[in-house]
Structures are given as C-alpha cells and as structure tokens.
Amino acid sequence: MSASLRADVLIVGAGAGGLFTALHLPDDLDVVVLDKGAWGEGSSPWAQGGVAAALGPDDSVELHVADTVRAAAGHADLIAAEVLCSEAPSCVLELAELGCAFDRDPQGRLHLAHEGGQSVARSVHAGDASGAAVMATLRRHALPRVRHLRAMCIAVAESEGRCAGAWALGDDGPVGIEAGATVLATGGVGGLFPATTNPPGACGDGLALAWEAGAALSDVEFVQFHPTALAVGEGTQRLLVTEALRGAGAHVVDEHGHRFLFEHHPDGELAPRDVVARAIASRRSFLDCRHLAPEVLERGFPTVLAGLRRAGLDPSRDPIPVAPAAHYLVGGITTDLDGRTSLPRLYAVGECANTGAHGANRLAGNSLAEALVFGRRAARAIASQRRSRIKELPPAPSLGADAGWLPRWSELRALCGRCLGLQR
C-alpha cells in the first residue's frame, strides 16, 4: 500500500538550486523537499572556487557576459548569459546578508578570486570551500520553511497534460506526492564516469525523470571536465584541486617541469577549462605550488591542503599529479529563463537544467551563480502561477526487483569514459 502527500510545491534535490528556490517561495506555500541523501548532500558542498559575480571595481556585467560567451565556444544563448551575469551580484549580496562566510579583504569588501576564463578576479568565495559555506547558509535559512523527505524520486507524475507531482521511494515504500508545481534540482552526471569530482549520487537521474515524463533535453553532449583533479588514489570520486590555486600563481608543468599551457592558449593556466583539460590530458601533468609562500596555501586553500596530505602529498615540496575528471553537465533539461520545462508545471534549476547560458563550456564560477539566479527566477514564476489541483495522482510505476544492476553500473561508467569522455 503506497502513502501519499499533498504540497503546493515539490522540490526534488536539496543542493544550492533547490534550496535557493525554496528560500524565495512565498511563506504561505507548503513546500516539500525530496532528498535522496542526507540533508544538503550532493555536488554543491564540494564547490571550491566560488560564485562568479561582477562586483569588483575593474569588473562589469558586460565583461562577465563577454567572458561567459567566449568560454561557451560559440554556443551561448546571449539573453540567458545576460540574465545570469546581471542578476548574480544581487544573489551574492543576498547570501552575504544572510550570513554566508565569504572571505573579505582588510577593508571589509568581498574578496574576489581569479579563476579560469575570467578577465578579472570575479569569484566571491569562502576560502576553497565556497560551496560548503553557501550550503550551510541555505540549510540554516531553508530548513524551517520546508518539509524534508528522505527518499529517491522514481517518476514524475503527469496528468491532464501537465506535471502533477512525483512518485518517490522511501524506507517504507512508494510515496506519491501531489504538487501544484514540481522542481527538478537533481544535479549532474559525474557519477556516470570512471573519474569525477562529483559524489556518486550525481548520476543523471533528473534527466531520466524529465525524459520519461516527456520533457525536452538539449546539449547533453556538453560535459565539462575539470582540468586539475588529483590523479592518485582509488575510487571514482577524485579530489578537485581548485583552479583558484592557479589564479594564486600555481603552475601547470609536464614531467620535465615545462609550463606547456601557453602553447595552447595565451592565458596559460587561466585559459578556459576545455582548453586546459585537453592540454593536460595529452601528457603527464603536475600542478607546481612549490614557489608559493606557505601562508598563501595555508590561508587560502585549507580544503585542498587537507586532501593532498591525506594522499601523502606536500604541495610545498611535491609536484601534484593532476588529470581531467568529469565535473559539470553543461546541457540538460531544456528550460526557459524562469526554469519552466516543456511539460507544464515542471521546472528545472541548477546543473540538471539547460538555460543555454553556458553554451558548450561553462565559465568558472558560473555554476553556483546559475543555481542561485535561476532558482530565484523559478520561485518567482511558481509564485505567479494559478494554483490548481488535479483529480487524482496517476498510479505508481512498477518496481521490478533486479539484482543485476551493480555490474551494469560499472559497465556504464566504462562506456561513458570511453565514448563520452574528453576525447571522443
């Protein structure tokens, strides 16, 4: 016997996009957040570099747009990029007002890190644990506003030509959640690859849910690989060595100590990620931090330092072996500028969504920015829609037992690495 719930809004996923959406929904709406892991887990807390926003004295929205479009390899939707870049500053300032522990300079201004593809330093950050700081703030402010349900979404419910909620599988069996609006905020696909910076739960389930419900997908061939993941250790998830470290002066070198990236792009270590990733993949590569002052590493990059030390590496003494790893899904569920998908009453925000702003390659710092900007826009769109109920939630999908999924999961990772990797 399946259970059932009713809500005004169902949000599938509890990362930055999902929780910022929840934070901006009207107080009188009943909101359920469906989370398949522990509260606030997912890819968002792993983000290191920061949130790109044109807040510096030498920056502008126009320059941010130009960098975004240039990194996008000719595929960016200019209007979406302009929306992203023009609204990111207010989202960052809102987080700061909510108490997010962003780094500041001696004058009390937000400190800006310089990341790949950025013409100027643009990433507002909290050391090298920016995602964790953003998520701590969103959890603190969103938790009192929602009902949190630990369960895995297994199907989007469609009725009368629109989304009617979803079915989830919890510890006590299937749960039907009827909702006036449903938001997919499920993250990316990195867990489908042999090496990734993402946690295992980033397995593309939001795309599958949308596709099976009849919503359109686009640009799913555009998967960004982070150039500098730690190339040692076991398992699928690899330590991300933030490119803000390169912005602070670290060099990428080959086994002979040669800085080779300038042969591929005039910006060298701070070239767009796709250029740097392909160059690093072409040879044995290392990140050389040995010339940096110890206090630069200790003060600015404690997360990376702790991970390297767990791997037995000392960046003040050892070149750090790095290689590209699957990092970010650039395409995804097709949405408009307010998060609407092609299925009425179904929205998508964050990494699982494709607004078109990133084109074929995402500019550093634009991932958290996109989750915040379009999460807030989706919330406003939902608040403006007419509230209505369906007559009855469709039946739950059948769940056939299958003990053979584990080896197929390994086969899928190998297939994605071979056919959907950096070199195709």
Side-chain angles (χ1 to χ4, degrees):
M1 186 74 178
S2 58
S4 62
L5 297 173
R6 300 185 79 176
D8 294 310
V9 183
L10 169 64
I11 299 175
V12 183
L19 293 190
F20 208 61
T21 302
L23 198 60
H24 285 87
L25 289 168
D27 291 336
D28 64 334
L29 291 183
D30 179 24
V31 181
V32 170
V33 171
L34 196 63
D35 191 354
K36 67 182 178 183
W39 177 258
E41 283 188 350
S43 295
S44 294
W46 295 92
Q48 293 181 3
V51 189
L55 292 167
D58 55 350
D59 203 359
S60 67
V61 170
E62 292 75 18
L63 186 56
H64 190 181
V65 171
D67 287 348
T68 297
V69 171
R70 183 171 58 252
H75 288 274
D77 182 308
L78 182 58
I79 295 176
E82 289 173 344
V83 167
L84 170 65
C85 299
S86 63
E87 297 186 14
S90 64
C91 289
V92 169
L93 295 176
E94 180 182 346
L95 283 176
E97 291 172 0
L98 291 173
C100 190
F102 291 129
D103 288 1
R104 296 182 180 267
D105 64 18
Q107 289 74 42
R109 297 170 299 201
L110 291 168
H111 185 269
L112 302 172
H114 197 173
E115 298 193 87
Q118 297 178 354
S119 298
V120 298
R122 183 180 292 129
S123 290
V124 179
H125 64 106
D128 62 347
S130 304
V134 168
M135 287 305 301
T137 303
L138 293 180
R139 286 195 298 268
R140 186 167 65 250
H141 290 277
L143 181 58
R145 301 171 61 91
V146 305
R147 286 189 284 162
H148 175 232
L149 179 62
R150 176 97 179 256
M152 178 178 291
C153 188
I154 55 175
V156 168
E158 188 269 338
S159 178
E160 302 169 9
R162 67 175 178 87
C163 178
W167 284 95
L169 186 62
D171 292 338
D172 298 324
V175 180
I177 307 158
E178 181 197 328
T182 300
V183 182
L184 297 176
T186 54
V189 301
L192 302 180
F193 288 82
T196 180
T197 62
N198 298 172
C203 58
D205 45 355
L207 276 68
L209 292 167
W211 177 259
E212 291 177 352
L217 309 182
S218 54
D219 296 338
V220 291
E221 72 273 26
F222 296 145
V223 177
Q224 184 177 79
F225 289 74
H226 198 285
T228 51
L230 184 62
V232 297
E234 301 294 329
T236 299
Q237 188 175 6
R238 305 296 172 86
L239 174 70
L240 185 153
V241 185
T242 174
E243 65 192 334
L245 193 52
R246 285 177 268 141
H251 299 156
V252 175
V253 300
D254 62 19
E255 57 190 324
H256 305 293
H258 172 58
R259 291 178 67 186
F260 60 89
L261 289 178
F262 287 97
E263 300 167 10
H264 298 267
H265 195 281
D267 292 341
E269 277 82 8
L270 292 178
R273 283 179 174 170
D274 59 333
V275 175
V276 178
R278 284 193 295 269
I280 287 177
S282 70
R283 67 194 78 190
R284 289 185 62 196
S285 301
F286 301 84
L287 194 65
D288 190 353
C289 308
R290 292 174 293 179
H291 58 286
L292 298 181
E295 57 268 23
V296 170
L297 298 173
E298 294 286 350
R299 183 178 64 250
F301 305 98
T303 303
V304 171
L305 277 183
L308 293 177
R309 286 167 176 163
R310 286 193 297 270
L313 295 167
D314 180 353
S316 66
R317 185 186 65 238
D318 305 316
I320 308 304
V322 292
H327 181 60
Y328 191 86
L329 174 65
V330 179
I333 305 164
T334 307
T335 71
D336 67 7
L337 298 179
D338 294 317
R340 297 183 186 90
T341 73
S342 61
L343 179 63
R345 302 296 179 105
L346 179 66
Y347 297 74
V349 299
E351 190 174 353
C352 71
N354 181 28
T355 64
H358 303 313
N361 179 58
R362 177 176 63 79
L363 179 71
N366 274 356
S367 56
L368 285 172
E370 181 190 42
L372 301 174
V373 166
F374 292 100
R376 184 171 67 180
R377 291 178 70 91
R380 292 171 177 171
I382 291 168
S384 69
Q385 77 178 21
R386 182 176 61 86
R387 301 184 192 182
S388 62
R389 295 286 187 183
I390 61 167
K391 296 178 181 178
E392 186 179 7
L393 200 67
S398 60
L399 297 173
D402 184 358
W405 63 271
L406 189 57
R408 291 208 300 275
W409 189 258
S410 299
E411 292 171 11
L412 180 60
R413 284 197 177 111
L415 182 65
C416 287
R418 185 169 66 251
C419 300
L420 304 177
L422 188 61
Q423 303 291 345
R424 303 183 183 179

